[in-house]
Amino acid sequence: MRYRSLAVSSAAVLCLAGATGMAEAKPTSLYAPSAMVFAVSQGDGANGGTVLRAATLSCMPSAQGTHPDPKAACTTLNSTGGTFDQLLAAPDTNRACPMHYAPVTVTADGIWQGSRVAWKHTFANSCTMSATLNGNAVFAF
């Protein structure tokens, strides 16, 4: 009889622990998650390259992360509608860049409004990158 009581008690504890685990699986926010890592790397991106700088950004429920201006970066990302190519502007025509090839790649990896993102763009050199991003808040770190 003692063994039966112990087995029932163990089963009850396991059921209770399982129910508690189920409660923790519920979403903690009404907002879709947005957590990104942005990086600027020396190289064409095909071979990984050397990361020159990187920043993290989370936009929901509030703007935060290691990015120096998370609010401006989140506002810029929201204006793209999830199309990260819209971060690229027409190059500033008043800026002349050298014609040497020293590729620089920018990347955006993570979750944006609940969807997985893995975006990258390679520029011929850092001058071309600066002229094309043209003050873009997302890569201003």
Side-chain angles (χ1 to χ4, degrees), residues 67-90:
H67 194 284
D69 192 354
K71 188 173 182 178
C74 288
T75 300
T76 301
L77 286 173
N78 281 326
S79 71
T80 68
T83 306
F84 284 76
D85 284 335
Q86 289 184 10
L87 295 173
L88 308 173

Side-chain angles (χ1 to χ4, degrees):
M1 190 72 153
R2 181 174 172 219
Y3 295 111
R4 179 178 279 172
S5 172
L6 182 60
V8 171
S9 297
S10 297
V13 169
L14 290 175
C15 287
L16 182 59
T20 304
M22 296 273 291
E24 292 175 12
K26 290 183 181 177
T28 59
S29 174
L30 296 175
Y31 303 103
S34 293
M36 302 288 298
V37 176
F38 299 98
V40 177
S41 303
Q42 187 68 47
D44 63 7
N47 299 324
T50 302
V51 176
L52 302 174
R53 58 190 186 273
T56 60
L57 181 68
S58 177
C59 294
M60 289 297 169
S62 63
Q64 55 189 347
T66 62
H67 194 284
D69 192 354
K71 188 173 182 178
C74 288
T75 300
T76 301
L77 286 173
N78 281 326
S79 71
T80 68
T83 306
F84 284 76
D85 284 335
Q86 289 184 10
L87 295 173
L88 308 173
D92 182 356
T93 56
N94 296 320
R95 186 167 180 178
C97 288
M99 298 297 289
H100 72 278
Y101 187 70
V104 178
T105 300
V106 294
T107 59
D109 289 304
I111 305 294
W112 180 250
Q113 296 181 345
S115 297
R116 175 77 175 102
V117 172
W119 178 84
K120 73 177 179 176
H121 187 84
T122 301
F123 299 94
N125 55 50
S126 59
C127 180
T128 305
M129 177 188 75
S130 295
T132 305
L133 292 176
N134 202 16
N136 183 312
V138 174
F139 289 99
F141 56 87

